[in-house]
Amino acid sequence: MFKKPFRIKSQTSMKGSDRKKLRAEIIKSFPNISPDSVTDIIPNKEEVTTVKIYTHAGDNAFIYCVNKIPLLFEVDKQKILYPSVYLLWKYPDLVERFTTWQPVFKKLLDGADLMLPGVIVREQLTPNTFKHVQKRQVCSINILGNKSPVAVGETLISGEDFYDSGMKGKGIHPCHLYGDELWLFGDKSSPPVLEDEPLPDMYNTEIEDTANPVYNDNNVENNIGTTADNTETVGESQREEADNIVDDIKQIESLTVDDSVNDTGACGGDADEVTNIVDDSNNDTIEPVNDSSDTKMSVISPDEMDKLLEFCFLCSIKSSLKKSDLPISTGTFYKQHVMKYCPSDKILDVKKSSFKKLSKFLQKQSKTGIITVKELSKGVDSITEIDKSHLALRGLEVPEIVIENFSESSEPEYSPPIITEMLAVTSNVLTLFKTLGYTKGSYLKPSEVRQCVTEYVKQNNLQYEDCKSEVILDPILADLLLTKPEGDRSTLKWEDVFSRLIDKMTTVYEVQLSGQAPIIHKGNLEPIKIDVVQRASNKKATVIENLDVYGIDTKSFAHTVQVKVACSASVTPSQQKNKGPQVVVQGNQTGIVGDLLCKTYMIPKKYIKGLEKASKSKRR
């Protein structure tokens, strides 16, 4: 559900009465929880907010946050309350918990379902082992060796079916995992290490490095460690499945914990897919990557990382960052200027240096006078000045090959949205379209409406042989298309039939963004609004809204405008409810923004409002 980014529609503070309702819903959803724990989860005096989002799959969902940490969520159409991993780290036994192997988590991140052979059974499997588990029951998944859950989902079958199937087939569908977009919405903390029960004797394997699984804030896909290397006889009911699991883990034994995972989902190392314990039916074919010196990333010490970080920093100051780019936030500076100078066989990671944080490293550089760092807005540090004549830059040779390899073309190109005007089947015309197999709320293109009417006329033989330009009105068409003064008419021309029928239908717009499911906008499609507002000291600013509706990344757009016109541009929350973020640019930049939207982003002018506010060029 949260594998891809979601769009925030609204964010409101929760009232006292709403908190009581949410507490009652928590008690109903999680019967094992105590009243004191419920009050601790939803406190009276802390900040509790409800965030309404629109997922990439087209579903409305609600996230309940306490002090900006997402603790609970529910999908609008399902009405099921789910805990987040943040909440389960505090209450690990809040829901039914299943344990799996550490290499399986990588496959779950790729979108796979957890197969039953991947569930570790801690006792002899009997009909009563999972008898208490219901179908579509909310549950969690943890990795062997750490009790802290790393995934939240629901069971696909009941506990009785677990036993009847012989622990084969799909078992659990994860909907939220450690490392997905919902986790990124919080404070991005790591799971605490909670002592878990040891591996059951029935597997009789030696486990390495599972007592303290490694979790990495930068790339949770690295959570793969070495596991069992042998197995002996087990009980008859578990022999075959245990052997299959251990064989799969033996194949993953040689995996190196790499900081990069390829796009297809396979990790570095000679590993086959864990096909017996996860379901990759939703993914493309995954091929293992050969473990070679060309693909491995070298692991370096903190001292070496410090040197690499300083080298990349100095290269960016000398050859990449320009004074016209200032001021620039430290995060943007690091991502767009520093990282591109890292050699291809290494990975630049501040957390693996002695500084641990980018702010501490930049504070050290600021003391040398090469840069000046100031907090221009609350909580956001920015670089305001740079000294290109600094002694540290003299004699520095910037590697040209790195600059050539890092180009803007490597970034994903923006694909303009495909906007299609459609018509919705309403109750006014349902009697006609119902006969053709459509239901209320169906969406049709105008050409499809014409095809439907033509098909209906042919099926019911509603034309005279000597007059093909008119349609005979049967009781259904007459009731739909005729007004009271026209009650005695028996025919209508084709164009009158189409126009009158379309007038009774509701216009909607289908917006197809690249890589996303189509989104239906009922009513008129909101255009991109460009407004020029007056600020203090008779200064003007250009405000651009609704960019997110057309799939335009506001941060990237603001940066492009900032570079293009050499003025400040920022992204701020909209002052209107249910609106996405807006871009604010210094001065009247309507002409520049309009050209950028039309020529670069290829948005038709009819979907842009406010182009007439461009400043007129003065005559000389």
Side-chain angles (χ1 to χ4, degrees):
M1 181 184 300
F2 301 104
K3 185 178 180 181
K4 296 182 180 179
F6 52 81
R7 181 162 61 91
I8 298 176
K9 300 180 68 175
S10 64
Q11 187 168 350
T12 57
S13 298
M14 186 173 288
K15 300 178 181 178
S17 58
D18 293 331
R19 298 189 189 202
K20 291 182 180 179
K21 292 179 182 179
L22 182 57
R23 291 192 191 105
E25 190 175 351
I26 292 174
I27 295 174
K28 182 180 178 181
S29 301
F30 314 117
N32 296 331
I33 196 169
S34 63
D36 293 338
S37 299
V38 175
T39 306
D40 183 50
I41 295 173
I42 308 296
N44 291 318
K45 297 184 179 181
E46 301 292 338
E47 180 187 7
V48 182
T49 55
T50 302
V51 183
K52 186 176 181 181
I53 66 170
Y54 195 74
T55 67
H56 72 280
D59 298 324
N60 288 320
F62 297 90
I63 303 174
Y64 302 104
C65 302
V66 177
N67 294 327
K68 299 182 180 180
I69 304 297
L71 298 184
L72 300 154
F73 65 93
E74 63 179 338
V75 181
D76 193 14
K77 63 182 181 181
Q78 294 180 354
K79 301 297 182 183
I80 300 176
L81 193 65
Y82 295 88
S84 71
V85 291
Y86 289 109
L87 179 59
L88 291 178
W89 292 342
K90 191 173 183 180
Y91 301 96
D93 297 320
L94 185 63
V95 295
E96 184 72 21
R97 182 165 46 85
F98 295 92
T99 304
T100 189
W101 309 94
Q102 197 168 18
V104 177
F105 182 58
K106 167 63 186 64
K107 295 296 181 181
L108 300 183
L109 281 172
D110 289 339
D113 291 334
L114 178 61
M115 304 294 282
L116 291 179
V119 177
I120 297 176
V121 183
R122 299 188 179 277
E123 58 184 17
Q124 188 67 32
L125 184 65
T126 66
N128 295 325
T129 303
F130 297 106
K131 187 177 181 180
H132 59 286
V133 177
Q134 304 295 323
K135 184 178 180 180
R136 299 189 67 82
Q137 178 177 332
V138 178
C139 61
S140 66
I141 302 170
N142 73 294
I143 297 173
L144 180 66
N146 191 352
K147 195 176 180 180
S148 296
V150 292
V152 180
E154 60 181 14
T155 56
L156 298 175
I157 58 177
S158 65
E160 295 178 352
D161 292 333
F162 279 31
Y163 177 79
D164 294 340
S165 65
M167 294 299 288
K168 293 181 179 179
K170 294 182 180 181
I172 300 170
H173 172 66
C175 57
H176 160 48
L177 299 99
Y178 165 58
D180 63 9
E181 294 295 328
L182 181 60
W183 173 80
L184 291 173
F185 194 64
D187 60 3
K188 305 176 186 177
S189 57
S190 300
V193 178
L194 305 177
E195 186 176 354
D196 194 14
E197 299 179 34
L199 186 70
D201 293 337
M202 61 193 306
Y203 292 95
N204 197 21
T205 57
E206 297 179 2
I207 303 300
E208 301 176 2
D209 299 332
T210 55
N212 296 288
V214 178
Y215 296 103
N216 189 336
D217 283 340
N218 296 329
N219 194 342
V220 296
E221 294 183 358
N222 298 337
N223 296 339
I224 301 176
T226 56
T227 51
D229 59 356
N230 63 359
T231 183
E232 296 178 8
T233 58
V234 293
E236 288 296 330
S237 63
Q238 293 280 329
R239 180 191 303 272
E240 182 180 354
E241 298 302 337
D243 287 343
N244 287 339
I245 294 172
V246 175
D247 287 342
D248 288 323
I249 296 175
K250 284 169 64 180
Q251 294 175 345
I252 305 175
E253 182 183 17
S254 60
L255 282 177
T256 57
V257 180
D258 196 347
D259 283 326
S260 64
V261 179
N262 65 9
D263 293 336
T264 60
C267 297
D270 293 329
D272 293 333
E273 296 180 53
V274 192
T275 52
N276 287 339
I277 50 182
V278 293
D279 174 32
D280 285 324
S281 58
N282 296 329
N283 301 332
D284 296 333
T285 302
I286 298 176
E287 297 180 357
V289 178
N290 293 330
D291 187 5
S292 64
S293 58
D294 293 335
T295 58
K296 274 191 174 181
M297 298 295 175
S298 57
V299 180
I300 60 179
S301 65
D303 290 339
E304 292 175 322
M305 185 63 74
D306 290 349
K307 294 179 181 178
L308 176 62
L309 181 60
E310 186 168 3
F311 171 76
C312 295
F313 167 78
L314 294 175
C315 289
S316 65
I317 295 296
K318 184 173 183 177
S319 300
S320 179
L321 186 64
K322 301 176 182 178
K323 291 188 177 182
S324 60
D325 296 335
L326 304 178
I328 183 172
S329 68
T330 56
T332 303
F333 164 70
Y334 177 75
K335 185 180 296 183
Q336 297 184 357
H337 297 277
V338 178
M339 292 185 66
K340 63 183 179 181
Y341 290 99
C342 179
S344 58
D345 62 335
K346 296 180 181 179
I347 291 181
L348 187 62
D349 190 349
V350 178
K351 291 190 176 182
K352 293 182 180 179
S353 68
S354 61
F355 300 97
K356 301 301 182 183
K357 293 183 178 180
L358 178 64
S359 57
K360 291 184 178 180
F361 171 76
L362 294 179
Q363 285 175 7
K364 178 187 175 183
Q365 300 300 327
S366 179
K367 291 179 180 178
T368 66
I370 193 170
I371 59 171
T372 302
V373 180
K374 292 183 180 180
E375 186 177 351
L376 297 183
S377 58
K378 188 176 180 180
V380 180
D381 290 337
S382 299
I383 298 176
T384 57
E385 296 179 15
I386 57 176
D387 182 8
K388 287 185 174 287
S389 61
H390 196 274
L391 290 175
L393 301 178
R394 295 181 182 179
L396 177 66
E397 295 183 3
V398 180
E400 297 181 359
I401 186 171
V402 178
I403 301 175
E404 293 174 358
N405 289 338
F406 188 92
S407 61
E408 294 184 357
S409 61
S410 62
E411 298 180 0
E413 295 183 357
Y414 170 80
S415 298
I418 301 174
I419 303 172
T420 307
E421 183 177 338
M422 304 185 75
L423 299 166
V425 176
T426 60
S427 56
N428 295 332
V429 297
L430 183 60
T431 53
L432 172 63
F433 287 95
K434 189 175 182 180
T435 61
L436 300 172
Y438 293 96
T439 59
K440 184 179 178 180
S442 299
Y443 303 116
L444 301 170
K445 297 178 182 178
S447 59
E448 292 175 338
V449 173
R450 286 178 172 269
Q451 292 176 3
C452 290
V453 175
T454 303
E455 182 180 350
Y456 180 81
V457 171
K458 289 182 179 179
Q459 287 179 356
N460 295 276
N461 196 22
L462 299 178
Q463 276 187 307
Y464 294 115
E465 292 294 334
D466 55 346
C467 186
K468 297 290 185 178
S469 62
E470 293 188 343
V471 176
I472 302 173
L473 301 179
D474 64 354
I476 293 178
L477 290 178
D479 183 57
L480 288 178
L481 306 178
L482 294 181
T483 59
K484 288 184 179 180
E486 298 176 324
D488 57 345
R489 292 194 61 171
S490 59
T491 61
L492 273 178
K493 293 186 176 296
W494 274 105
E495 286 305 317
D496 291 336
V497 172
F498 292 135
S499 60
R500 294 190 184 193
L501 183 63
I502 289 174
D503 288 343
K504 289 183 174 289
M505 301 178 73
T506 303
T507 302
V508 297
Y509 290 86
E510 180 189 75
V511 179
Q512 174 71 61
L513 302 177
S514 178
Q516 298 185 24
I519 301 173
I520 298 295
H521 293 268
K522 296 182 179 179
N524 294 326
L525 181 65
E526 286 195 79
I528 296 176
K529 295 180 181 179
I530 304 175
D531 195 11
V532 179
V533 297
Q534 199 78 18
R535 295 294 173 90
S537 302
N538 201 28
K539 294 182 179 179
K540 296 180 179 180
T542 305
V543 181
I544 307 100
E545 294 182 322
N546 298 331
L547 292 172
D548 56 319
V549 176
Y550 297 83
I552 299 176
D553 182 74
T554 51
K555 293 183 179 180
S556 175
F557 184 84
H559 176 72
T560 303
V561 175
Q562 180 181 5
V563 174
K564 199 174 186 67
V565 298
C567 67
S568 65
S570 60
V571 179
T572 61
S574 176
Q575 297 179 356
Q576 302 181 29
K577 291 184 178 180
N578 301 328
K579 292 283 188 178
Q582 61 185 13
V583 175
V584 180
V585 186
Q586 181 182 6
N588 185 353
Q589 310 296 346
T590 305
I592 300 295
V593 171
D595 289 343
L596 186 64
L597 289 172
C598 294
K599 296 178 181 179
T600 303
Y601 290 90
M602 293 176 283
I603 303 296
K605 284 189 177 181
K606 66 178 181 179
Y607 297 120
I608 304 175
K609 183 179 179 181
L611 292 175
E612 69 281 355
K613 297 178 182 179
S615 56
K616 303 294 187 297
S617 58
K618 297 180 180 180
R619 293 182 179 179
R620 294 184 180 180

